[in-house]
Amino acid sequence: MTDRHSTMLKTLGLTALALGGLAVANTLAARAAERRYPPEGRFLTVDGVRLHYMEAGEGPPVVLLHGNVSALGDSLASGLFQRLARTHRVIAFDRPGMGHSDRPHDRDWTPEDQADLLAQAFAALNIENAVVVGHSYATLVALALALDHPRTVKGLVLLAGYYFPTTRVDTVLVAPLAMPVLGGLLRHTLSPPVSKAMMPGLLKTLFSPRPVPDHLTESFPAALTIRPGQLRANAQDGVTMVPAAERLQHRYAGVTVPVAIFAGHHDRVVSQEEQSGRLHHVLPDSTIHWVPDSGHMVHYADPELVVRRIDELSAEKAMPRVCAHR
């Protein structure tokens, strides 16, 4: 064996050893995160998927759906859940693969797939005519619910959403994490520490131009979002977002429920003038609310306004639904 081959083998061995060490460390970190942020709600299994959700209050139903790289703890940290529980039956879900919910490998988990699953969860929990609140990626899930399962939805509240296809660099960057072999290697080795290092900058971008709330470190389970399993879910959502917007944009005119759209002019994640402003013009039964001095996290900037609009949609008399015949 030549010196060159010997050096190469040593290098490969050291690399494998380092990656193995990272995999062990990341597994331990994931377990520590789950101990620090244990499930606080209940579990429901529908269509072979174990979903984690929290429920509180009585009154007209409101369902809260969080965005990507997140969990239902977002609705707790923002205060939406607690405020709504005073006068509503409020249910917050960990979307598939996020928080403490499972995401099996048997489907692509597009917004339509997630809407189909949630519709089954609604039926199991006797949720009817709910105001569905979606943030960021989950606005597509909420719209898919209204389009494919209209009897479950009374109104939509869409927060800082993405509705029309654009070129996005972030989808290209996360694509490797969604791949079966390479993605698995990255998610268990390099990606968790890299994601942890990037988290402070990501939070600043999300909340800009406002500061990141002081309480967020303790109240939001950020450590759960960088576990290998959720990194896969995050990547899949990133990859499916643009194609989903391409499909759904041709169907928005079929939304038959009132829609409240919330957006911030300073959103550094999604161009809201291009997205929310355009959606408002497409949906005749919609209102748009520009939250002053806010970016992507509009529900933190003015939770009272969001709750007030939810109250109004809940109180509106349901209009007769027209069934479309194909």
Side-chain angles (χ1 to χ4, degrees):
M1 182 182 297
T2 65
D3 290 343
R4 181 180 178 183
H5 288 161
S6 178
T7 301
M8 184 180 298
L9 287 174
K10 288 180 181 178
T11 301
L12 289 174
L14 289 172
T15 301
L17 187 63
L19 291 176
L22 274 175
V24 171
N26 292 330
T27 299
L28 294 174
R31 291 175 180 172
E34 290 164 357
R35 287 194 300 270
R36 182 181 179 185
Y37 299 105
E40 298 182 51
R42 304 171 186 173
F43 287 93
L44 169 72
T45 300
V46 287
D47 196 18
V49 182
R50 190 169 183 252
L51 287 175
H52 177 238
Y53 70 98
M54 289 188 69
E55 180 176 351
E58 296 180 356
V62 178
V63 174
L64 304 177
L65 303 176
H66 62 82
N68 199 3
V69 196
S70 191
L72 66 77
D74 176 59
S75 64
L76 299 173
S78 68
L80 277 186
F81 187 93
Q82 299 89 325
R83 286 175 167 87
L84 288 166
R86 298 168 188 164
T87 53
H88 294 269
R89 178 192 178 195
V90 57
I91 307 100
F93 285 93
D94 275 333
R95 290 192 297 104
M98 312 285 188
H100 294 285
S101 290
D102 294 340
R103 181 179 285 220
H105 293 253
D106 61 349
R107 64 204 84 172
D108 294 330
W109 292 112
T110 64
E112 296 96 328
D113 290 334
Q114 296 186 42
D116 290 344
L117 183 73
L118 287 168
Q120 294 181 63
F122 282 22
L125 295 172
N126 295 314
I127 301 170
E128 298 178 345
N129 291 318
V131 174
V132 178
V133 183
H135 175 240
S136 195
Y137 181 94
T139 57
L140 292 171
V141 180
L143 284 161
L145 266 168
L147 288 165
D148 296 335
H149 307 277
R151 294 187 181 280
T152 66
V153 180
K154 183 177 184 180
L156 296 178
V157 175
L158 307 178
L159 310 172
Y162 179 86
Y163 313 107
F164 301 96
T166 58
T167 301
R168 292 187 64 93
V169 176
D170 55 337
T171 62
V172 178
L173 295 177
V174 300
L177 294 180
M179 296 179 180
V181 179
L182 176 61
L185 176 64
L186 291 172
R187 293 192 304 266
H188 285 86
T189 56
L190 298 175
S191 295
V194 170
S195 298
K196 182 178 180 180
M198 293 175 62
M199 185 61 69
L202 173 62
L203 291 174
K204 287 181 180 178
T205 298
L206 289 171
F207 282 93
S208 177
R210 295 170 180 255
V212 178
D214 292 334
H215 72 272
L216 199 70
T217 302
E218 291 302 320
S219 59
F220 177 72
L224 292 179
T225 69
I226 60 172
R227 294 168 299 160
Q230 180 149 348
L231 286 173
R232 170 176 162 264
N234 296 340
Q236 285 183 326
D237 277 6
V239 169
T240 60
M241 183 174 66
V242 175
E246 171 61 39
R247 290 190 305 274
L248 290 171
Q249 67 172 332
H250 306 292
R251 303 179 59 200
Y252 292 152
V255 174
T256 59
V257 298
V259 181
I261 304 167
F262 286 80
H265 285 296
H266 303 286
D267 194 327
R268 293 171 58 188
V269 179
V270 177
S271 173
Q272 290 303 328
E273 289 80 1
E274 178 183 348
Q275 296 289 333
S276 289
R278 182 177 172 187
L279 183 70
H280 175 49
H281 290 293
V282 171
L283 298 178
D285 193 3
S286 69
T287 56
I288 190 164
H289 310 269
W290 293 100
V291 182
D293 301 318
S294 70
H296 199 60
M297 308 301 278
V298 290
H299 50 309
Y300 286 78
D302 198 341
E304 292 294 349
L305 176 61
V306 176
V307 169
R308 191 158 61 247
R309 193 67 186 97
I310 292 170
D311 289 340
E312 292 168 355
L313 289 178
S314 294
E316 286 187 15
K317 185 177 180 180
M319 298 296 290
R321 300 186 190 277
V322 178
C323 296
H325 297 280
R326 296 182 180 179

